Amino acid sequence: MSHDAHELAAALLPDGSELTVRLADLADAEVALELMHAAFRARPVVGEAPEALGDDLASVRARIAHGTGYLAFIDGVPAGLVMAARQLGAMRLGRVGVLPRFREQGIASFLVGVVLEHLAASGEEHVHLLARKEFPQILAWWAKHGFAPDDEEGNCIVMARSLPVAVEVPDADAMRALGERLAGVLRAGDLIIASGDLGAGKTTLTQGIGAGLGVVGPVISPTFVLSRVHRAQGDGPALVHVDAYRLGSFAELEDIDLEESLDTAVTLVEWGAGVAEGLAPGRLEIDIRRGIDPEDETRWVFLTPIGPRWSRTALAEAAQAVPGVRAPASRAGRTPKTPEETP
């Protein structure tokens, strides 16, 4: 896959086409405007016309200059966009759209996921957006992506969420050390869902967690047995290590019969995204990302706490205490260098 300096992520779609996401610059303003108008014209007409249809080239250039624009391409053809700008101390997303012919392929989810990770890696801690009340299906879509109602503005619901704790991990030793530090905030009953490409470092991180918990090892990927139980050597919880790579549903995961140990052990499910969420209402999601450059062994690790059990601050402190692991400077409380605007 080819990439340029602005490219943030790339993936292959099931039909073999290449999906890429990159930052927009001022030279992309015309493409962004065409994408925006085409995407919003295709939406059902309910109530007032979308504000996006009133944008012109000058306003799009201003949005890119004063905030951040993200563009998605399929085999080089513009397919979708997201605009972001700082407002009320947090980043607000807007103008989120995908061209009709590219919908129902998961492009919007991939694009928004990249945007959230990029903002987290840039030091942002919170993000919000406006969703019109007349479109309950859009409200539900954002809810599936971790957003919850926070306020109201006119005919819109303000949907908000915290961003993951993001850290840059230089090598395998640092990944194990990160796992050991994270073990210090874990306790019996915790569920961890670990995601990432093959070889990204999920098992390496789990080895560190096992070492930090003081369990009986060795901790290796349970690919062929689906799950392994590592007993605690002391008074701490056991580690239940699950590989859900070959599982296609929560029902298949239930067949492993994890319920007996959920309350007394730390349960870590590799490849568990979309499968293991039903095990517990709260969890820690860990997503490990490679960079675009295949020669670079650096990984970005995103820690997303879900539920009142978890403290974002405690996770950040644990991760940032690892030698060699770099965290972006927090932007919380900073004075914006660019004018605030509403996407």
Side-chain angles (χ1 to χ4, degrees), residues 146-173:
F147 287 78
D150 185 62
D151 202 352
E152 294 188 13
E153 289 187 21
N155 69 332
C156 295
I157 302 293
V158 179
M159 302 289 286
R161 63 161 286 175
S162 295
L163 290 173
V165 173
V167 290
E168 191 177 25
V169 181
D171 52 37
D173 289 341

Side-chain angles (χ1 to χ4, degrees), residues 93-296:
L93 305 185
R95 306 310 194 249
V96 182
V98 173
L99 294 182
R101 65 190 176 108
F102 294 126
R103 291 176 184 168
E104 307 301 328
Q105 299 183 60
I107 294 169
S109 293
F110 184 83
L111 173 57
V112 168
V114 172
V115 170
L116 296 181
E117 289 183 355
H118 181 257
L119 292 175
S122 301
E124 301 292 346
E125 296 184 3
H126 303 282
V127 66
H128 60 277
L129 57 90
L130 297 181
R132 287 172 58 175
K133 298 175 183 177
E134 307 100 298
F135 298 108
Q137 72 277 16
I138 294 179
L139 290 167
W141 190 88
W142 285 110
K144 286 172 57 178
H145 290 76
F147 287 78
D150 185 62
D151 202 352
E152 294 188 13
E153 289 187 21
N155 69 332
C156 295
I157 302 293
V158 179
M159 302 289 286
R161 63 161 286 175
S162 295
L163 290 173
V165 173
V167 290
E168 191 177 25
V169 181
D171 52 37
D173 289 341
M175 188 69 78
R176 288 190 188 90
L178 174 60
E180 288 193 51
R181 286 285 186 174
L182 290 176
V185 302
L186 299 177
R187 66 191 188 202
D190 285 343
L191 170 65
I192 303 170
I193 297 177
S195 302
D197 297 332
L198 191 66
K202 297 182 295 298
T203 300
T204 302
L205 180 74
T206 306
Q207 290 170 346
I209 291 174
L213 292 175
V215 302
V216 177
V219 176
I220 59 175
S221 179
T223 302
F224 298 105
V225 297
L226 296 183
S227 70
R228 282 194 174 92
V229 179
H230 298 274
R231 299 187 311 277
Q233 300 184 75
D235 297 330
L239 173 65
V240 178
H241 186 196
V242 182
D243 188 324
Y245 183 74
R246 291 178 173 80
L247 303 181
S249 67
F250 178 66
E252 293 181 44
L253 184 63
E254 283 187 304
D255 289 341
I256 302 177
D257 196 23
L258 299 173
E259 285 77 5
E260 288 188 11
S261 61
L262 271 176
D263 292 337
T264 59
V266 171
T267 303
L268 189 148
V269 185
E270 293 189 31
W271 303 100
V275 175
E277 289 84 356
L279 288 174
R283 59 191 178 274
L284 173 62
E285 295 183 353
I286 302 179
D287 195 7
I288 305 175
R289 296 284 182 170
R290 300 172 182 266
I292 291 290
D293 184 356
E295 302 296 323
D296 188 357

